[in-house]
């Protein structure tokens, strides 16, 4: 919980600090770059974390997971450089590249944490997550405060955070007892991993693309300052999903074990409990957001959000539904039913991307908010229906 809180809070803090110290317009550019970096992070992670954490038979060596992550992170940075060079000019290109590198560190860290979780050391994973994110957030804040130079700050934060990430996580992995297959490294297994996780990567990439469609639609028809307003209003919704990882991420290996042990009753109980807890938490967050959230954001970020009260509630509801989507998505991967993920996201993309620009042109930030809510709702309905179908099919098979 402490590690996930630090991770969630760092995302919140970066936009806050840039808004306060660099102004609304530069913060709008930063928020768009950060959203793109979050999208490209899915290339770096390649949908492999849940697959790795639920590799209960330890079919693949940790070294094979690491080499596959080298390839995916290299691809992430390559796409990041191409995107930045095409989209921006001057110093903005470098800032965008280093913002993407800051998120790449999450992908590097992720492969170490997958190994820790696979070997039931979630507590050690949390410590490493907290150490690295606290350092990155504090370093970023202090350097930007004293220099007021966003390029230098992103550059230095990315490089030093990567060094710290490799140092602390390598130490953590060396100090646990890890089951490993009694064989040598095989490059063919790296290619096999990348091939098997390609549909998972495509699904997660599409999911983030869907959530960022409103931002890109706004960039075509509205000025940078509105990007900042939307990003501030959206941040609590994004944090809801990160915070809900408290509930299900430590349990995902256990859930996979129950499924493969055919303990369907306990599996259903675990899943139902998680869904219920997330709904209760999100309901409380929506109520608190209605009463206090927008006012707190105004005080923290120093901007006037009074015209966007209803927009904020719509985004919070979307965030709660999105957290449920993320949870069911991970469960489907854990029980090796990930083949449905790509078709679900592709269908949702057809439903939500096409009207996005028209919604923003007609309704402004409210159009962007409603498009996000639509994406989350469609995904939840389809994933929940698939999960119920899979459970009923398993129950029928066990009864025979």
């Amino acid at each position: 919980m402490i590690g996930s809180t630090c991770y969630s809070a760092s995302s919140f803090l970066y936009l806050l600090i840039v808004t306060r110290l660099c102004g609304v317009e530069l913060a709008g550019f930063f928020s768009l770059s950060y959203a793109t970096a979050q999208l490209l992070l899915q290339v770096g992670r390649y949908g492999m974390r849940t697959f790795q954490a639920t590799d209960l038979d330890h079919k693949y060596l940790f070294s094979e997971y690491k080499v596959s992550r080298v390839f995916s992170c290299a691809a992430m940075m390559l796409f990041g450089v191409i995107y930045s060079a095409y989209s921006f000019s001057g110093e903005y290109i470098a800032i965008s590249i280093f913002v993407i590198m800051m998120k790449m560190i999450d992908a590097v860290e992720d492969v170490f944490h997958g190994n820790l979780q696979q070997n039931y050391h979630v507590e050690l994973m949390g410590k490493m997550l907290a150490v690295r994110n606290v350092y990155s957030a504090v370093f970023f804040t202090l350097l930007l405060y004293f220099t007021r130079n966003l390029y230098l700050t992103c550059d230095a934060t990315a490089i030093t955070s990567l060094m710290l990430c490799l140092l602390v996580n390598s130490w953590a992995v060396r100090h646990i007892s890890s089951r490993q297959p009694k064989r040598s490294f095989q490059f063919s297994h790296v290619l096999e991993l990348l091939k098997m996780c390609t549909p998972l990567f495509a699904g997660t990439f599409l999911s983030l693309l869907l959530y960022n469609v409103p931002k890109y639609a706004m960039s075509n028809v509205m000025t940078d300052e509105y990007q900042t307003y939307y990003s501030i209003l959206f941040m609590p919704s994004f944090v809801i999903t990160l915070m809900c990882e408290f509930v299900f991420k430590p349990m995902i290996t256990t859930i996979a074990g129950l499924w493969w042990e055919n303990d369907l009753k306990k599996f259903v109980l675990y899943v139902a409990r998680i869904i219920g807890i997330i709904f209760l938490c999100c309901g409380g967050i929506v109520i608190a957001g209605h009463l206090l959230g927008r006012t707190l954001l105004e005080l923290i970020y120093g901007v006037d959000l009074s015209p966007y009260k209803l927009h904020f509630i719509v985004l919070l509801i979307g965030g709660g539904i999105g957290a449920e989507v993320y949870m069911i998505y991970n469960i489907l991967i854990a029980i090796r039913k990930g083949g449905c993920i790509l078709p679900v996201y592709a269908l949702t993309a057809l439903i939500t991307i096409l009207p996005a620009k028209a919604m923003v042109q007609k309704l402004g930030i409210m159009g962007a908010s409603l498009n996000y809510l639509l994406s989350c709702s469609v995904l939840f309905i389809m994933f929940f229906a698939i999960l119920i179908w899979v459970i009923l099919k398993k129950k029928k098979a066990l009864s025979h």
Side-chain angles (χ1 to χ4, degrees), residues 31-233:
S31 70
L32 183 61
S33 297
Y34 199 84
T36 302
Q38 191 71 37
L39 178 62
L40 288 173
L41 174 60
Q42 306 317 311
V43 179
R45 286 177 170 170
Y46 214 73
M48 205 173 289
R49 168 60 179 278
T50 302
F51 186 94
Q52 181 185 5
T54 54
D55 180 9
L56 303 181
D57 295 329
H58 295 259
K59 182 179 178 181
Y60 299 98
L61 294 169
F62 179 46
S63 57
E64 291 164 350
Y65 282 107
K66 285 194 292 184
V67 172
S68 69
R69 193 57 53 95
V70 170
F71 282 107
S72 61
C73 285
M76 174 184 176
M77 290 308 304
L78 177 61
F79 289 131
V81 170
I82 293 170
Y83 163 80
S84 302
Y86 177 79
S87 303
F88 308 114
S89 60
E91 194 176 61
Y92 279 18
I93 295 176
I95 294 173
S96 176
I97 290 171
F98 281 110
V99 169
I100 292 166
M101 186 176 173
M102 286 168 61
K103 293 309 294 180
M104 184 205 70
I105 296 166
D106 292 348
V108 174
E109 196 169 53
D110 187 69
V111 75
F112 290 98
H113 293 177
N115 182 256
L116 292 171
Q117 187 170 3
Q118 184 186 20
N119 291 285
Y120 298 94
H121 283 281
V122 178
E123 81 297 336
L124 194 54
M125 176 186 80
K127 291 175 183 178
M128 299 303 102
L129 193 64
V131 167
R132 207 273 300 168
N133 278 283
V134 167
Y135 166 79
S136 297
V138 172
F139 185 85
F140 182 92
T141 302
L142 291 177
L143 192 57
L144 188 60
Y145 178 80
F146 286 111
T147 66
R148 294 297 200 276
N149 186 321
L150 188 58
Y151 162 70
L152 176 63
T153 301
C154 293
D155 179 353
T157 303
I159 293 170
T160 59
S161 295
L162 178 59
M163 293 169 62
L164 180 65
C165 164
L166 293 171
L167 180 68
V168 298
N169 286 288
S170 296
W171 174 87
V173 167
R174 282 199 302 269
H175 284 75
I176 65 166
S177 55
S178 174
R179 281 178 54 198
Q180 290 286 307
K182 293 180 179 179
R183 59 172 178 79
S184 58
F185 172 89
Q186 295 180 31
F187 188 75
S188 61
H189 281 206
V190 174
L191 299 178
E192 191 177 304
L193 271 173
L194 292 170
K195 181 180 177 180
M196 284 192 301
C197 291
T198 295
L200 308 181
F201 150 69
T204 52
F205 186 84
L206 273 175
S207 74
L208 263 293
L209 178 61
L210 288 173
Y211 293 158
N212 284 316
V213 160
K215 279 179 170 286
Y216 295 119
M218 287 174 63
S219 69
N220 290 325
V221 298
M222 304 177 79
T223 59
D224 279 350
E225 63 182 288
Y226 289 100
Q227 285 281 2
T228 302
Y229 294 139
Y230 179 81
S231 296
I232 291 170
L233 293 166

